[in-house]
Amino acid sequence: MEEKDVVQLFDIIDKTTSVIQQEENETYLDSLTRSLEAMFFEITDEPLGEKGQQIVDTSLIDINVEQLDKTTIRKAIQLAILKGMKEATQPQHLMTPETIAMFIGYLAEKLTKDIDDIRLFDPVSGTANLLLIVLEQLKSSTKAYGNEIDPTLLKLALLHANLQQKEVEFFHQDSMQPFLLDPVDLVVADLPVGYYPDDIRANDFELKAEEGHSYAHHLIMEQSFMYTKEGGYLIFIIPESLFQSEQADKLHAFMKKHAHIIGLLQLPDTLFKGKEQKKSIFILQKKGPETEDVKQPLLAMLPSFQDGPKMENMLMQINNWFEENM
Protein backbone atom coordinates (compact mmCIF):
# COMPACT_ATOMS: atom_id res chain seq x y z
CA MET A 1 0.00 0.00 0.00
CA GLU A 2 1.31 3.45 -0.97
CA GLU A 3 0.21 6.53 0.99
CA LYS A 4 -0.25 8.44 -2.27
CA ASP A 5 -2.73 5.77 -3.45
CA VAL A 6 -4.80 6.31 -0.30
CA VAL A 7 -4.81 10.08 -0.80
CA GLN A 8 -5.66 9.73 -4.49
CA LEU A 9 -8.60 7.39 -3.83
CA PHE A 10 -9.84 9.56 -0.96
CA ASP A 11 -9.71 12.66 -3.18
CA ILE A 12 -11.90 10.91 -5.78
CA ILE A 13 -14.39 9.71 -3.17
CA ASP A 14 -14.44 13.10 -1.44
CA LYS A 15 -14.94 15.06 -4.65
CA THR A 16 -17.84 12.86 -5.72
CA THR A 17 -19.42 12.88 -2.27
CA SER A 18 -19.19 16.67 -1.98
CA VAL A 19 -20.89 17.18 -5.35
CA ILE A 20 -23.70 14.78 -4.44
CA GLN A 21 -24.09 16.49 -1.06
CA GLN A 22 -24.53 19.87 -2.72
CA GLU A 23 -27.02 18.57 -5.29
CA GLU A 24 -29.10 16.50 -2.91
CA ASN A 25 -28.86 18.83 0.13
CA GLU A 26 -28.11 15.97 2.51
CA THR A 27 -25.36 15.10 5.01
CA TYR A 28 -21.88 14.17 3.86
CA LEU A 29 -22.28 10.66 5.33
CA ASP A 30 -25.53 10.04 3.42
CA SER A 31 -23.89 11.26 0.22
CA LEU A 32 -20.88 9.05 0.95
CA THR A 33 -23.12 5.99 0.80
CA ARG A 34 -24.11 7.03 -2.75
CA SER A 35 -20.44 7.38 -3.73
CA LEU A 36 -19.47 4.00 -2.31
CA GLU A 37 -22.46 2.35 -3.98
CA ALA A 38 -21.27 3.73 -7.30
CA MET A 39 -17.80 2.31 -6.63
CA PHE A 40 -19.14 -1.13 -5.76
CA PHE A 41 -22.08 -1.55 -8.13
CA GLU A 42 -20.65 0.70 -10.90
CA ILE A 43 -24.01 2.48 -10.99
CA THR A 44 -25.93 4.89 -8.75
CA ASP A 45 -29.07 3.58 -7.05
CA GLU A 46 -31.00 6.79 -7.80
CA PRO A 47 -30.63 9.33 -10.62
CA LEU A 48 -28.43 12.31 -9.81
CA GLY A 49 -28.38 15.80 -11.21
CA GLU A 50 -26.40 16.34 -14.41
CA LYS A 51 -23.23 17.55 -12.68
CA GLY A 52 -23.31 14.83 -10.02
CA GLN A 53 -23.94 12.08 -12.55
CA GLN A 54 -21.09 13.34 -14.72
CA ILE A 55 -18.66 13.27 -11.78
CA VAL A 56 -19.74 9.73 -10.86
CA ASP A 57 -19.49 8.54 -14.46
CA THR A 58 -16.01 9.99 -15.00
CA SER A 59 -14.52 9.26 -11.56
CA LEU A 60 -15.91 6.44 -9.43
CA ILE A 61 -17.33 4.06 -12.02
CA ASP A 62 -13.95 3.82 -13.74
CA ILE A 63 -12.27 2.59 -10.53
CA ASN A 64 -11.49 -1.12 -10.66
CA VAL A 65 -12.14 -2.13 -7.06
CA GLU A 66 -10.82 -5.66 -7.53
CA GLN A 67 -7.39 -4.34 -8.54
CA LEU A 68 -7.07 -1.98 -5.57
CA ASP A 69 -5.19 -2.97 -2.45
CA LYS A 70 -7.76 -3.67 0.30
CA THR A 71 -5.83 -1.63 2.87
CA THR A 72 -5.84 1.32 0.47
CA ILE A 73 -9.62 1.04 0.16
CA ARG A 74 -10.07 0.78 3.93
CA LYS A 75 -7.88 3.79 4.70
CA ALA A 76 -9.47 5.97 2.01
CA ILE A 77 -12.97 5.12 3.26
CA GLN A 78 -11.83 5.82 6.84
CA LEU A 79 -10.72 9.31 5.84
CA ALA A 80 -14.04 10.00 4.13
CA ILE A 81 -16.04 8.72 7.11
CA LEU A 82 -13.96 10.81 9.52
CA LYS A 83 -14.64 13.91 7.41
CA GLY A 84 -18.36 13.18 7.51
CA MET A 85 -18.34 12.59 11.26
CA LYS A 86 -16.78 15.98 11.89
CA GLU A 87 -19.97 17.60 10.59
CA ALA A 88 -22.31 15.10 12.24
CA THR A 89 -24.13 16.29 15.35
CA GLN A 90 -25.07 12.86 16.68
CA PRO A 91 -22.69 11.67 19.43
CA GLN A 92 -22.83 8.05 18.21
CA HIS A 93 -21.19 9.12 14.95
CA LEU A 94 -17.73 8.06 16.07
CA MET A 95 -15.25 5.58 14.64
CA THR A 96 -12.76 3.42 16.54
CA PRO A 97 -9.27 4.74 15.69
CA GLU A 98 -7.24 2.41 13.51
CA THR A 99 -4.36 2.09 15.99
CA ILE A 100 -6.72 0.86 18.73
CA ALA A 101 -8.58 -1.46 16.33
CA MET A 102 -5.28 -2.95 15.10
CA PHE A 103 -4.19 -3.61 18.68
CA ILE A 104 -7.50 -5.28 19.49
CA GLY A 105 -7.04 -7.41 16.37
CA TYR A 106 -3.65 -8.49 17.71
CA LEU A 107 -5.22 -9.46 21.06
CA ALA A 108 -8.10 -11.24 19.30
CA GLU A 109 -5.66 -13.38 17.33
CA LYS A 110 -3.84 -14.33 20.53
CA LEU A 111 -7.09 -15.32 22.27
CA THR A 112 -8.52 -17.37 19.38
CA LYS A 113 -5.34 -19.01 17.99
CA ASP A 114 -6.59 -22.51 18.91
CA ILE A 115 -10.09 -22.08 17.39
CA ASP A 116 -10.44 -23.40 13.83
CA ASP A 117 -13.74 -21.78 12.83
CA ILE A 118 -14.26 -18.51 14.66
CA ARG A 119 -17.57 -16.74 15.10
CA LEU A 120 -17.06 -12.99 15.65
CA PHE A 121 -19.66 -10.40 16.68
CA ASP A 122 -19.72 -6.64 17.23
CA PRO A 123 -23.10 -5.60 18.72
CA VAL A 124 -22.43 -1.88 18.15
CA SER A 125 -20.48 -2.01 14.90
CA GLY A 126 -21.08 1.52 13.59
CA THR A 127 -19.25 1.80 10.27
CA ALA A 128 -17.59 -1.57 11.02
CA ASN A 129 -14.05 -0.21 11.23
CA LEU A 130 -13.22 -2.20 14.38
CA LEU A 131 -14.97 -5.35 13.15
CA LEU A 132 -13.26 -5.34 9.73
CA ILE A 133 -9.79 -4.66 11.13
CA VAL A 134 -10.15 -7.51 13.66
CA LEU A 135 -11.50 -9.79 10.93
CA GLU A 136 -8.49 -8.96 8.77
CA GLN A 137 -6.06 -10.04 11.49
CA LEU A 138 -7.65 -13.36 12.46
CA LYS A 139 -5.78 -16.21 10.78
CA SER A 140 -8.48 -18.87 11.22
CA SER A 141 -11.62 -19.13 9.11
CA THR A 142 -14.04 -16.57 10.55
CA LYS A 143 -17.75 -15.86 10.25
CA ALA A 144 -18.41 -12.24 11.21
CA TYR A 145 -21.57 -10.50 12.42
CA GLY A 146 -22.25 -6.86 13.17
CA ASN A 147 -25.18 -4.80 14.40
CA GLU A 148 -26.02 -1.12 14.01
CA ILE A 149 -29.26 0.77 14.63
CA ASP A 150 -28.36 3.91 12.63
CA PRO A 151 -29.33 3.24 8.98
CA THR A 152 -26.64 5.51 7.50
CA LEU A 153 -23.85 3.94 9.55
CA LEU A 154 -25.20 0.48 8.74
CA LYS A 155 -25.17 1.22 5.01
CA LEU A 156 -21.62 2.54 5.25
CA ALA A 157 -20.60 -0.61 7.15
CA LEU A 158 -22.09 -2.87 4.49
CA LEU A 159 -20.40 -0.98 1.65
CA HIS A 160 -17.16 -0.82 3.64
CA ALA A 161 -17.22 -4.64 3.94
CA ASN A 162 -18.25 -5.22 0.32
CA LEU A 163 -15.52 -3.00 -1.10
CA GLN A 164 -12.94 -4.91 0.95
CA GLN A 165 -14.53 -8.19 -0.20
CA LYS A 166 -15.20 -9.22 3.39
CA GLU A 167 -18.26 -11.34 4.15
CA VAL A 168 -20.13 -9.92 7.15
CA GLU A 169 -23.75 -10.47 8.16
CA PHE A 170 -25.28 -7.31 9.60
CA PHE A 171 -28.30 -6.80 11.85
CA HIS A 172 -30.27 -3.54 11.87
CA GLN A 173 -31.78 -3.21 15.34
CA ASP A 174 -31.50 -1.88 18.86
CA SER A 175 -28.47 -3.59 20.45
CA MET A 176 -30.50 -4.52 23.53
CA GLN A 177 -33.22 -6.38 21.65
CA PRO A 178 -32.89 -10.18 21.15
CA PHE A 179 -30.80 -11.33 18.18
CA LEU A 180 -31.40 -14.28 15.86
CA LEU A 181 -27.79 -15.29 16.45
CA ASP A 182 -26.16 -18.45 17.78
CA PRO A 183 -23.45 -17.89 20.42
CA VAL A 184 -20.08 -16.68 19.16
CA ASP A 185 -16.46 -17.30 20.12
CA LEU A 186 -15.46 -13.66 20.30
CA VAL A 187 -17.22 -10.33 20.88
CA VAL A 188 -15.50 -7.00 20.20
CA ALA A 189 -17.18 -3.69 20.97
CA ASP A 190 -16.31 -0.04 21.37
CA LEU A 191 -18.94 0.71 24.00
CA PRO A 192 -21.05 3.84 23.51
CA VAL A 193 -21.35 5.54 26.88
CA GLY A 194 -24.68 6.87 28.07
CA TYR A 195 -28.14 6.00 29.34
CA TYR A 196 -30.54 3.53 27.72
CA PRO A 197 -34.00 5.14 27.39
CA ASP A 198 -36.19 1.99 27.25
CA ASP A 199 -36.73 1.16 30.95
CA ILE A 200 -39.15 -1.66 30.09
CA ARG A 201 -36.56 -3.53 28.03
CA ALA A 202 -33.81 -2.73 30.55
CA ASN A 203 -35.89 -4.41 33.24
CA ASP A 204 -34.98 -7.81 31.67
CA PHE A 205 -31.28 -7.31 32.46
CA GLU A 206 -29.34 -8.05 35.63
CA LEU A 207 -27.54 -4.73 35.21
CA LYS A 208 -30.72 -2.62 35.19
CA ALA A 209 -30.68 0.47 37.37
CA GLU A 210 -32.73 0.39 40.57
CA GLU A 211 -33.97 3.90 39.79
CA GLY A 212 -33.97 5.93 36.59
CA HIS A 213 -32.38 4.91 33.31
CA SER A 214 -29.81 2.11 33.13
CA TYR A 215 -26.38 2.61 31.62
CA ALA A 216 -26.39 1.55 27.96
CA HIS A 217 -22.75 0.45 28.13
CA HIS A 218 -23.53 -1.87 31.07
CA LEU A 219 -26.49 -3.41 29.25
CA ILE A 220 -24.47 -3.92 26.05
CA MET A 221 -21.85 -5.80 28.07
CA GLU A 222 -24.54 -8.06 29.56
CA GLN A 223 -26.16 -8.55 26.15
CA SER A 224 -22.76 -9.53 24.74
CA PHE A 225 -22.38 -12.24 27.36
CA MET A 226 -25.77 -13.65 26.34
CA TYR A 227 -24.47 -14.25 22.81
CA THR A 228 -21.02 -15.55 23.76
CA LYS A 229 -20.24 -19.27 24.08
CA GLU A 230 -19.12 -20.59 27.45
CA GLY A 231 -15.36 -20.17 27.40
CA GLY A 232 -15.64 -17.52 24.68
CA TYR A 233 -13.90 -14.15 24.86
CA LEU A 234 -15.03 -10.54 24.93
CA ILE A 235 -12.90 -7.46 24.24
CA PHE A 236 -14.45 -4.13 25.15
CA ILE A 237 -13.21 -0.58 24.77
CA ILE A 238 -14.46 0.95 28.02
CA PRO A 239 -14.39 4.37 29.70
CA GLU A 240 -11.82 4.49 32.49
CA SER A 241 -14.62 5.53 34.84
CA LEU A 242 -16.53 2.27 34.25
CA PHE A 243 -16.09 0.96 37.80
CA GLN A 244 -16.46 4.34 39.50
CA SER A 245 -20.11 5.12 38.76
CA GLU A 246 -23.09 4.79 41.08
CA GLN A 247 -24.05 1.55 39.26
CA ALA A 248 -20.56 0.02 39.54
CA ASP A 249 -21.44 -2.35 42.40
CA LYS A 250 -23.88 -4.24 40.19
CA LEU A 251 -21.29 -4.47 37.43
CA HIS A 252 -18.71 -5.89 39.85
CA ALA A 253 -21.21 -8.54 41.00
CA PHE A 254 -22.11 -9.40 37.39
CA MET A 255 -18.45 -9.85 36.44
CA LYS A 256 -17.78 -12.03 39.47
CA LYS A 257 -20.74 -14.25 38.55
CA HIS A 258 -20.23 -14.56 34.79
CA ALA A 259 -16.67 -13.66 33.82
CA HIS A 260 -13.00 -14.33 34.24
CA ILE A 261 -10.98 -11.13 33.95
CA ILE A 262 -8.21 -11.78 31.43
CA GLY A 263 -6.76 -8.32 31.29
CA LEU A 264 -7.13 -4.56 31.53
CA LEU A 265 -4.94 -2.36 29.35
CA GLN A 266 -4.97 1.42 29.74
CA LEU A 267 -4.74 3.16 26.38
CA PRO A 268 -2.10 5.91 26.07
CA ASP A 269 -3.05 9.43 27.17
CA THR A 270 -1.89 10.80 23.81
CA LEU A 271 -4.97 9.30 22.12
CA PHE A 272 -7.41 11.44 24.09
CA LYS A 273 -8.11 15.16 24.43
CA GLY A 274 -8.73 15.03 28.18
CA LYS A 275 -9.00 12.81 31.23
CA GLU A 276 -12.77 12.46 30.80
CA GLN A 277 -12.34 10.85 27.37
CA LYS A 278 -9.71 8.29 28.44
CA LYS A 279 -10.46 4.65 27.68
CA SER A 280 -9.08 1.19 28.34
CA ILE A 281 -9.26 -2.26 26.76
CA PHE A 282 -11.09 -4.78 28.96
CA ILE A 283 -10.54 -8.47 28.12
CA LEU A 284 -12.92 -11.08 29.55
CA GLN A 285 -13.77 -14.77 29.24
CA LYS A 286 -17.28 -16.08 29.79
CA LYS A 287 -17.31 -18.66 32.56
CA GLY A 288 -18.03 -22.29 31.71
CA PRO A 289 -17.64 -25.77 33.26
CA GLU A 290 -14.02 -26.06 32.10
CA THR A 291 -12.85 -22.47 32.57
CA GLU A 292 -10.91 -20.99 35.45
CA ASP A 293 -9.39 -17.68 36.51
CA VAL A 294 -5.99 -16.81 35.11
CA LYS A 295 -3.28 -16.75 37.79
CA GLN A 296 -2.33 -13.18 37.03
CA PRO A 297 -4.50 -10.99 34.76
CA LEU A 298 -2.76 -8.99 32.06
CA LEU A 299 -2.50 -5.47 33.49
CA ALA A 300 -0.58 -2.71 31.74
CA MET A 301 -0.49 0.93 30.79
CA LEU A 302 0.24 1.04 27.07
CA PRO A 303 2.88 3.47 25.81
CA SER A 304 2.22 5.77 22.88
CA PHE A 305 1.68 3.78 19.70
CA GLN A 306 4.11 6.23 18.08
CA ASP A 307 6.95 5.19 20.40
CA GLY A 308 8.41 2.21 18.50
CA PRO A 309 10.96 0.92 21.06
CA LYS A 310 8.57 1.15 24.03
CA MET A 311 5.74 -0.44 22.07
CA GLU A 312 7.99 -3.25 20.86
CA ASN A 313 9.02 -3.95 24.47
CA MET A 314 5.36 -3.92 25.56
CA LEU A 315 4.39 -6.39 22.83
CA MET A 316 7.21 -8.68 23.93
CA GLN A 317 5.88 -8.62 27.51
CA ILE A 318 2.33 -9.29 26.31
CA ASN A 319 3.51 -12.18 24.11
CA ASN A 320 5.31 -13.69 27.10
CA TRP A 321 2.19 -13.30 29.24
CA PHE A 322 0.07 -15.17 26.67
CA GLU A 323 2.63 -18.00 26.45
CA GLU A 324 2.61 -18.41 30.23
CA ASN A 325 -1.10 -17.93 30.94
CA MET A 326 -3.23 -18.90 27.94
Side-chain angles (χ1 to χ4, degrees):
M1 181 205 72
E2 296 285 344
E3 198 67 32
K4 62 179 178 63
D5 295 332
V6 175
V7 174
Q8 184 178 26
L9 181 57
F10 165 71
D11 286 343
I12 294 171
I13 294 171
D14 180 49
K15 179 181 179 182
T16 310
T17 302
S18 296
V19 170
I20 295 172
Q21 181 184 20
Q22 291 173 9
E23 289 199 352
E24 302 298 317
N25 192 27
E26 60 188 10
T27 68
Y28 185 94
L29 288 176
D30 284 323
S31 298
L32 180 58
T33 64
R34 308 276 291 274
S35 294
L36 298 183
E37 282 174 340
M39 274 182 65
F40 184 72
F41 295 109
E42 299 184 352
I43 190 172
T44 53
D45 62 340
E46 296 177 16
L48 298 170
E50 183 178 349
K51 184 178 179 182
Q53 195 63 55
Q54 184 179 13
I55 291 290
V56 170
D57 290 343
T58 58
S59 301
L60 290 180
I61 290 177
D62 288 338
I63 296 173
N64 190 331
V65 174
E66 293 186 359
Q67 291 183 359
L68 286 173
D69 177 79
K70 299 302 178 288
T71 304
T72 298
I73 294 173
R74 173 165 58 79
K75 286 180 174 288
I77 294 174
Q78 280 178 1
L79 290 173
I81 290 172
L82 285 171
K83 178 177 178 178
M85 287 180 173
K86 285 181 179 179
E87 75 166 38
T89 57
Q90 293 173 275
Q92 70 268 31
H93 280 186
L94 299 172
M95 183 170 66
T96 306
E98 181 169 5
T99 49
I100 298 176
M102 292 286 287
F103 191 78
I104 289 177
Y106 155 77
L107 295 171
E109 170 58 24
K110 290 286 185 185
L111 292 168
T112 60
K113 66 182 187 304
D114 296 326
I115 303 174
D116 293 328
D117 295 299
I118 300 168
R119 290 171 56 80
L120 168 68
F121 180 42
D122 184 344
V124 282
S125 54
T127 61
N129 196 53
L130 172 61
L131 181 63
L132 290 171
I133 288 176
V134 171
L135 179 59
E136 188 176 278
Q137 293 193 64
L138 296 177
K139 296 182 175 66
S140 300
S141 172
T142 305
K143 179 65 177 175
Y145 304 87
N147 175 68
E148 176 55 46
I149 192 170
D150 185 290
T152 299
L153 299 187
L154 179 66
K155 200 168 187 179
L156 286 170
L158 182 61
L159 290 162
H160 201 172
N162 285 341
L163 286 164
Q164 291 188 58
Q165 298 180 7
K166 301 291 187 184
E167 187 176 338
V168 181
E169 183 176 329
F170 287 101
F171 298 92
H172 180 207
Q173 64 175 69
D174 179 344
S175 298
M176 260 63 83
Q177 295 298 324
F179 288 99
L180 288 171
L181 176 68
D182 291 330
V184 301
D185 302 287
L186 175 66
V187 169
V188 296
D190 188 347
L191 297 177
V193 178
Y195 290 100
Y196 182 60
D198 187 346
D199 294 336
I200 296 175
R201 174 59 185 156
N203 199 50
D204 294 335
F205 289 77
E206 290 181 45
L207 292 174
K208 65 183 178 183
E210 294 302 326
E211 295 182 2
H213 292 325
S214 304
Y215 279 134
H217 43 297
H218 288 192
L219 301 185
I220 291 170
M221 294 177 80
E222 181 174 343
Q223 179 83 319
S224 297
F225 271 87
M226 293 183 192
Y227 293 94
T228 303
K229 296 177 183 177
E230 291 183 341
Y233 297 98
L234 307 96
I235 307 176
F236 296 118
I237 300 175
I238 62 168
E240 285 207 345
S241 59
L242 182 70
F243 290 104
Q244 298 167 6
S245 71
E246 69 277 8
Q247 298 180 27
D249 288 345
K250 274 199 165 188
L251 186 59
H252 275 289
F254 179 87
M255 292 299 165
K256 187 174 182 180
K257 179 179 177 182
H258 297 286
H260 302 291
I261 296 176
I262 303 298
L264 182 63
L265 303 172
Q266 286 183 286
L267 289 164
D269 295 346
T270 52
L271 291 175
F272 308 101
K273 292 181 179 179
K275 185 177 180 181
E276 297 77 17
Q277 288 81 39
K278 285 185 64 176
K279 295 186 177 184
S280 298
I281 298 173
F282 198 24
I283 312 166
L284 303 163
Q285 183 181 32
K286 183 175 178 177
K287 287 185 175 181
E290 299 179 2
T291 64
E292 58 185 14
D293 290 331
V294 294
K295 294 180 181 178
Q296 176 60 51
L298 175 61
L299 304 174
M301 181 178 292
L302 299 177
S304 168
F305 290 120
Q306 305 299 321
D307 191 329
K310 287 185 178 179
M311 198 64 214
E312 185 176 347
N313 181 59
M314 176 59 68
L315 290 175
M316 189 180 302
Q317 293 181 51
I318 293 174
N319 288 339
N320 290 338
W321 183 91
F322 272 101
E323 288 180 8
E324 294 172 5
N325 293 274
M326 299 297 289

